[in-house]
Amino acid sequence: MELNEYLQQTAATRAERMQWWHDARFGMFVHWGLYAQLGRHEWVMNRERIPVAEYEKLAETWQPKERPAREWARLAKQAGMKYMVMTTKHHEGFCLWDTQQTDYNAVKHTPHRDLVREYVEACREFGLKIGFYYSLMDWHHPDGALCATDEAARRRFLDFTQGCVRELCSNYGKIDILWYDVAWPLKSADKWESVKMNAMARQLQPHIIIDNRSWLDEDFGTPEEHVTAEKEGRAWEACMTFNGSWGYMPISPDWRSTREVVHLLNTVTAGSGNLLLNIGPAPDGSVPPEAVERLTALGQWTAQNQEALYGQVERTQGRMEWLPTGSWTIKGNTAYFWCTRWPGETLVIGGLRSKVVKASLLTSGAPLAFEQTENRLVLTGLPAAQPDAIAGVTILKLECDSAPRQALGTGYVVLE
Ligand code: FHN
C-alpha cells in the first residue's frame, strides 16, 4: 500500500477509533522484563555493558508469582485508569509471549508462561482496554544493529519484527493500542516498512490505534516525561514514570507524589491529552509499595472528581489564563477550577468574561455564593480550609451561560 493511500485510510477512521481513548484520559504503562531481576533500570544491559551471553542467564532464573497482572489491572481500575499498555518485548529482546519468531521468550525459558496472555486476560477481567508496547530496537537479535548496514540482515530483521507484530495482533483477541518504541537503527518509515507493518496490524485489528514511534505520525503523539500538547486537533499522550525509571529500580527515591500526579492529570486534561503513568513491577510481579500507596489514594481523588477529568474536554489554551490559586479544565459551558492553593472563605478570579450562572464544589455539589462584575468573580462562603485531604486539590465547578473565556493579559490596569 502506498503511503498516501494508507494515510487517507487511517485518517478517515481515526475519530471513531479514538473516541474511547480521548474519553479514557488515563492509562497505566507497565515495564516488566528480565531486567526487573537486576533492579537497576530497564537499560541495565546497555548501561552496564552486560554481554548478551551473560544477560541471557536471566532467562533461566525469572520466577514471577501467579498472575501478577491481575494485581496491576485491579490497581489500575481502582486508580481510575481506563486502559493499560504493557511491554511485550523491550530493548533486551526477551519476548513475553509464546512467539515462533525466537526461542528467547517467556514460554521456552522462565517462567515458562505466556505472560502476555496473562496480562490480556487480566485487562479483560477488570474491563480495561488493552495496549501492547513493542520495542523495535532489539539488543539481543543478531540483526538488531546489523540491519542498518547489511541488506540481508535488514530483511531478516524486518521479517522477524513483522512476524512478532503479526502474532501479537493475531493470537490475543481484540487489541486496542499498538505502542511502538525506539525505531533504532533504521532511520525512516521506508527502511522499517512501517506502512506495510502497520497496515497489516490494522487489517488484523481494524479498531486499533497506533502511536508515533515507527517513523509515522499515526494516531497520537507521545511526549515523554514532560506534558506538552501537540498542535490543535492532534491527539497526544504524555507517558511518565513514577520514579524516574520505567523498569523496576527500588534504589530510585524520587517518587512523584499523589498531588503531582493530580497536577499531571490537570495539565493533560487542559490540553485534551492523555496521561500514561508507568509502574515497573518487581521480578515477582509485585507493584512497588510506593506506587500502590499513591495509586490507591489517587483512585479516591479521581472517583470524586471524575466529571472534570474524563470524557469530551476542550483545550484551555488561548481561552483561560493562569491564576496563583489554581488552573482550569473546560467542558462545554462549564469551567472547572482546580484550586491547588486554598485562599480560605473567599476566592477571587479576575478576567472571567463568561457569565457564571451557578458555582459549586464539584465533589459535594455544595452551592457557592458569588458576585460577578465585568472583571471580577468573587466566590464567598467557601470552607475555611482546603476541603481535599487526598492531594490538596479541590475543584470548583463554574457553570456559565456560554463557553468559558478569561481575558487578563499582563498589562491590565484597574482605572476606577
Ligand atoms: O528507551 C525506552 C525506555 O526504556 C522506555 O521504554 C521509554 C518509554 O516511553 N521509551 C524509550 C525512551 O524513549
Side-chain angles (χ1 to χ4, degrees), residues 29 31 42-43 90-91 133 179 181-182 213 224 239 246:
F29 215 168
H31 276 69
E42 74 284 356
W43 270 69
H90 203 262
H91 314 335
Y133 165 110
W179 213 103
D181 201 10
V182 189
R213 297 193 181 189
E224 178 170 325
C239 55
W246 301 96

Side-chain angles (χ1 to χ4, degrees), residues 123-366:
C123 287
R124 291 196 177 116
E125 179 184 350
F126 288 90
L128 297 165
K129 295 279 192 179
I130 301 166
F132 286 161
Y133 165 110
Y134 182 87
S135 173
L136 294 164
M137 177 164 74
D138 190 312
W139 295 328
H140 181 269
H141 193 289
D143 296 321
L146 189 59
C147 64
T149 54
D150 177 309
E151 188 52 25
R154 186 175 77 90
R155 184 68 270 147
R156 290 191 299 268
F157 189 58
L158 290 188
D159 291 346
F160 165 79
T161 302
Q162 292 168 20
C164 287
V165 172
R166 178 179 294 281
E167 288 176 348
L168 290 168
C169 291
S170 301
N171 301 343
Y172 297 95
K174 186 172 184 290
I175 302 306
D176 302 292
I177 302 163
L178 180 54
W179 213 103
Y180 287 115
D181 201 10
V182 189
W184 181 93
L186 303 173
K187 298 187 185 311
S188 72
D190 285 345
K191 285 288 187 185
W192 277 107
E193 295 183 350
S194 299
V195 171
K196 174 186 173 186
M197 181 166 64
N198 295 359
M200 174 264 289
R202 294 185 186 278
Q203 192 267 329
L204 292 166
Q205 297 283 344
H207 293 90
I208 205 162
I209 60 178
I210 300 176
D211 76 333
N212 65 334
R213 297 193 181 189
S214 62
W215 287 94
L216 293 171
D217 285 348
E218 293 290 17
D219 297 314
F220 64 97
T222 54
E224 178 170 325
E225 291 287 57
H226 61 91
V227 183
T228 309
E230 296 262 358
K231 64 182 185 304
E232 186 82 34
R234 166 81 169 151
W236 59 280
E237 171 193 75
C239 55
M240 310 292 284
T241 63
F242 238 134
N243 70 342
S245 173
W246 301 96
Y248 183 59
M249 192 171 190
I251 59 174
S252 171
D254 311 311
W255 287 88
R256 287 189 161 99
S257 67
T258 304
R259 179 175 167 87
E260 286 174 276
V261 176
V262 169
H263 178 67
L264 290 173
L265 286 171
N266 180 187
T267 311
V268 299
T269 307
S272 300
N274 283 23
L275 174 63
L276 188 64
L277 182 61
N278 182 75
I279 62 166
D284 72 348
S286 299
V287 181
E290 299 89 343
V292 173
E293 176 195 353
R294 286 154 176 79
L295 289 173
T296 302
L298 187 68
Q300 296 165 14
W301 192 91
T302 54
Q304 293 172 13
N305 295 281
Q306 53 189 306
E307 177 184 321
L309 186 58
Y310 303 111
Q312 180 67 39
V313 293
E314 282 83 51
R315 289 194 179 201
T316 64
Q317 191 177 10
R319 293 178 53 183
M320 314 300 278
E321 301 194 35
W322 69 270
L323 287 165
T325 45
S327 46
W328 301 98
T329 60
I330 296 175
K331 268 188 181 179
N333 286 353
T334 300
Y336 298 91
F337 186 67
W338 300 43
C339 190
T340 54
R341 299 183 181 121
W342 194 255
E345 297 181 1
T346 302
L347 172 65
V348 180
I349 295 175
L352 196 60
R353 291 284 188 264
S354 29
K355 183 176 178 350
V356 176
V357 294
K358 185 181 176 186
S360 57
L361 288 179
L362 180 61
T363 52
S364 64

Side-chain angles (χ1 to χ4, degrees), residues 1-19 22 202 206 208-210 217-220 233-234:
M1 181 184 293
E2 286 301 310
L3 175 60
N4 286 338
E5 181 187 359
Y6 177 76
L7 295 178
Q8 284 169 7
Q9 278 190 12
T10 51
T13 60
R14 179 163 295 125
E16 185 270 333
R17 290 184 288 109
M18 295 199 72
Q19 186 58 57
H22 286 296
R202 294 185 186 278
I208 205 162
I209 60 178
I210 300 176
D217 285 348
E218 293 290 17
D219 297 314
F220 64 97
R234 166 81 169 151

